[in-house]
Amino acid sequence: MVHGVGRQLDTAETLLAEVEPALRGGVELALRRDPTLGRLMDGDIVCAGYGDLYRQPGTRGEPYYRAEDVEPGFEAVLLETWWREAARLDPRIAGPDTGPDIGWPDGTGPGPAARGAVGRIASRPLAVDRVRRALHALTRTRFFGAVSDRLLISDLKQVRRYFTEPKLREAVRARVEELIRPETRVVVGHSLGSVVAYEALCALRPERTPLTLITLGSPLGLAGLVFDRLQPPPQQGGLGLWPAPVKHWTNLADSGDVVALVRELAPRFGPEVVDLPVDNGSEMHSMRAYLTAVETGTAIATGLAW
């Protein structure tokens, strides 16, 4: 099991204590429907913990991030992407296009790009105001629950750092790769963890024992920010590379999960991907909610049976 962002205070052991009951519960629900599916034995579940790689040495926790700390470029664009999707799904949320026509200082927003150093300085307060509007919309809605501005900004930075800091990316993937052994049958990735799992599987030798990949609330299909930054990159024609050791791939997404903005991955990675909807209630992006879903349990138990 590969987790997503926001777990920098966890270890593999603390994650396992949270993940194992949920994952086993989902599999048990699947077995109630079909007793012929594969079963989990003691010790079958392991978690690839990498949150400590994001933890800053010598600090008690995350810095107290404010709107001013959201960097133009990747972080600002990802924040606005989530904001726009949340507004699309819930008409009560004021979206990016309902306020002043303001762009980011680097010209990535819908408004006009600032020109020159003076323009960048002058436009910075306007861009920060736009960040505040986005944070207000996202942290006070059902999509992100009671997450604070500080934590949401921290999550943005973790995603950005994974894609822009090669040494960190390599270290994160290594935590996953070291746990994929010859007897491993199923790899599950949630949120950013689905990206890590995908890239780790692409790096494995194709002749190893076939695996099942299960992605939950995955941003893998998000063009520009994620899909086009994958390693290995998409092939000519725009199709993502299929991980050679993977025999079956099931992707599950809640219709209200703004992180899994592109909810069907088959158009990105090929028709072999089985895209399934799942209903997580009010916890659209929750790892626990995804794991306890019978659809997830069925995908895992089916992978264990092959």
Side-chain angles (χ1 to χ4, degrees):
M1 178 72 213
V2 189
H3 65 83
V5 297
R7 309 309 297 255
Q8 55 271 28
L9 301 184
D10 279 302
T11 65
E13 289 74 19
T14 61
L15 284 164
L16 183 61
E18 175 185 341
V19 164
E20 184 164 15
L23 194 153
R24 286 189 180 277
V27 170
E28 286 301 316
L29 290 177
L31 288 169
R32 286 177 177 272
R33 293 186 176 186
D34 185 354
T36 67
L37 296 174
R39 297 175 179 270
L40 285 164
M41 301 293 110
D42 290 341
D44 275 356
I45 304 171
V46 293
C47 290
Y50 61 83
D52 62 291
L53 297 174
Y54 284 100
R55 196 167 181 175
Q56 298 185 23
T59 63
R60 293 186 176 182
E62 286 295 316
Y64 283 91
Y65 291 122
R66 300 178 301 170
E68 291 82 356
D69 296 313
V70 174
E71 297 182 14
F74 189 102
E75 292 179 19
V77 174
L78 181 57
L79 178 64
E80 178 146 343
T81 300
W82 289 345
W83 181 19
R84 190 174 297 278
E85 179 66 2
R88 186 187 71 83
L89 292 168
D90 188 344
R92 296 172 296 178
I93 297 174
D97 301 326
T98 59
D101 187 23
I102 300 170
W104 303 107
D106 58 356
T108 53
R115 301 184 63 179
V118 175
R120 286 194 295 273
I121 294 171
S123 66
R124 180 59 180 164
L126 300 179
V128 172
D129 180 68
R130 191 175 183 85
V131 168
R132 291 196 183 100
R133 290 176 56 216
L135 293 170
H136 179 84
L138 289 170
T139 59
R140 292 160 179 81
T141 66
R142 61 193 179 97
F143 300 105
F144 284 90
V147 174
S148 66
D149 290 6
R150 174 190 177 195
L151 292 179
L152 185 55
I153 295 170
S154 174
D155 290 349
L156 286 169
K157 291 186 178 297
Q158 288 189 22
V159 177
R160 189 262 305 160
R161 290 186 62 197
Y162 180 81
F163 286 107
T164 60
E165 298 182 19
K167 289 185 178 179
L168 174 65
R169 190 176 195 167
E170 182 179 347
V172 170
R173 284 205 311 243
R175 296 285 179 91
V176 177
E177 293 167 2
E178 67 187 16
L179 292 179
I180 302 177
R181 299 169 180 150
E183 64 270 21
T184 301
R185 306 288 292 277
V186 179
V187 176
V188 182
H190 172 251
S191 194
L192 180 64
S194 68
V195 177
V196 180
Y198 168 83
E199 294 189 338
L201 291 171
C202 284
L204 294 180
R205 296 190 305 272
E207 61 270 16
R208 67 143 287 138
T209 306
L211 291 161
T212 291
L213 171 61
I214 299 171
T215 47
L216 311 173
S218 176
L220 273 165
L222 183 58
L225 292 170
V226 177
F227 180 73
D228 297 293
R229 296 171 183 260
L230 292 174
Q231 294 179 355
Q235 307 167 80
Q236 288 186 348
L239 199 64
L241 186 72
W242 184 274
V246 172
K247 184 177 181 181
H248 301 280
W249 181 349
T250 300
N251 175 62
L252 298 105
D254 185 289
S255 62
D257 188 343
V258 300
V259 175
L261 192 143
V262 180
R263 294 174 180 83
E264 294 187 356
L265 296 183
R268 295 283 196 210
F269 295 93
E272 294 85 1
V273 179
V274 177
D275 288 304
L276 297 177
V278 63
D279 184 358
N280 289 338
S282 62
E283 301 179 51
M284 297 82 156
H285 191 60
S286 160
M287 178 172 65
R288 182 192 64 82
Y290 272 114
L291 289 174
T292 57
V294 67
E295 295 88 348
T296 303
T298 301
I300 293 172
T302 301
L304 294 171
W306 281 321

